[in-house]
Amino acid sequence: MENNDFNMAGMKILIVDDTPANLDIMRKVLADKGLSISVAPNGEVALKVVPLVMPDLILLDIRMPGIDGFETCKKLKSDPITKDIPVIFLSAKTDTTDVVQGFMVGGVDYITKPIFREEVLVRVKTQLQLRIKTKNLEETQSELERSNQDLQAFAFVVSHDLKAPLRNILHFGEFLQED
């Protein structure tokens, strides 16, 4: 799937930021891509919304009242239901330690504010493509596991069916030897 040909329409994104102006900017950046956009004003609300919406990607601010973005991400990654949802951090924090911490708690990318439209679009598109490819690989793996189980069951039946005539020949051979 080429980056230029990738259609994001219908994919779900959750934007988590406590500043309404930032939410509006992100909505405008992503609006014309056909994405289904949900918003949460803080980490606590995001943790309640994510299992209901099951977004394909989360854009998560770091500095928020209550649970900050790092803690929100940790909680999402510790939940088996939400652990595989990619998180891109959005922050004015540019220190290397902050960026590294974002990756350490489970983020897949880090965008610094002020944001640039094209950068956001490319990073979002890349993560959504990876998400689809990962889901496809997981489905293929499940299909292969099912096929492997079917093949093993078939091999067992064939093995059993092939052994039956050999047992008959052995018994017949023993019978002839006794005679």
Side-chain angles (χ1 to χ4, degrees):
M1 214 179 278
E2 295 256 338
N3 204 20
N4 296 336
D5 298 338
F6 182 69
N7 184 1
M8 296 188 280
M11 298 194 78
K12 297 181 275 184
I13 292 189
L14 174 65
I15 306 168
V16 185
D17 199 312
D18 63 318
T19 307
N22 290 342
L23 291 171
D24 288 340
I25 289 168
M26 289 305 297
R27 271 197 213 116
K28 286 177 185 170
V29 166
L30 301 168
D32 64 340
K33 300 301 174 189
L35 294 160
S36 173
I37 298 173
S38 302
V39 297
N42 58 50
E44 291 91 347
V45 172
L47 292 172
K48 292 176 184 170
V49 168
V50 169
L52 301 174
V53 174
M54 288 307 290
D56 297 298
L57 178 65
I58 300 170
L59 300 172
L60 181 60
D61 186 27
I62 294 174
R63 288 189 204 169
M64 294 182 291
I67 301 175
D68 70 6
F70 293 140
E71 189 61 31
T72 302
C73 187
K74 279 187 209 174
K75 290 182 182 226
L76 290 167
K77 296 303 175 180
S78 69
D79 184 337
I81 294 169
T82 60
K83 70 179 177 65
D84 294 328
I85 300 171
V87 173
I88 296 177
F89 283 106
L90 300 170
S91 182
K93 297 175 97 175
T94 59
D95 292 342
T96 302
T97 54
D98 294 319
V99 175
V100 169
Q101 185 177 359
F103 287 109
M104 296 290 284
V105 298
V108 296
D109 206 344
Y110 195 102
I111 300 172
T112 56
K113 296 176 186 176
I115 64 162
F116 296 96
R117 182 180 187 281
E118 290 306 315
E119 177 186 6
V120 170
L121 289 174
V122 167
R123 290 175 186 264
V124 165
K125 187 181 284 189
T126 298
Q127 291 305 322
L128 291 174
Q129 284 178 310
L130 288 171
R131 176 87 165 144
I132 287 175
K133 289 178 181 183
T134 299
K135 282 182 176 180
N136 289 343
L137 283 172
E138 288 169 354
E139 289 172 10
T140 301
Q141 181 179 356
S142 292
E143 289 173 19
L144 286 172
E145 287 171 358
R146 279 191 300 275
S147 291
N148 194 29
Q149 289 172 350
D150 291 346
L151 185 59
Q152 286 176 344
F154 176 73
F156 177 78
V157 169
V158 168
S159 172
H160 181 267
D161 289 351
L162 287 175
K163 288 179 183 174
L166 291 175
R167 279 192 298 269
N168 287 339
I169 292 170
L170 270 172
H171 290 315
F172 185 69
E174 290 171 359
F175 176 72
L176 287 175
Q177 253 183 349
E178 289 174 6
D179 266 0

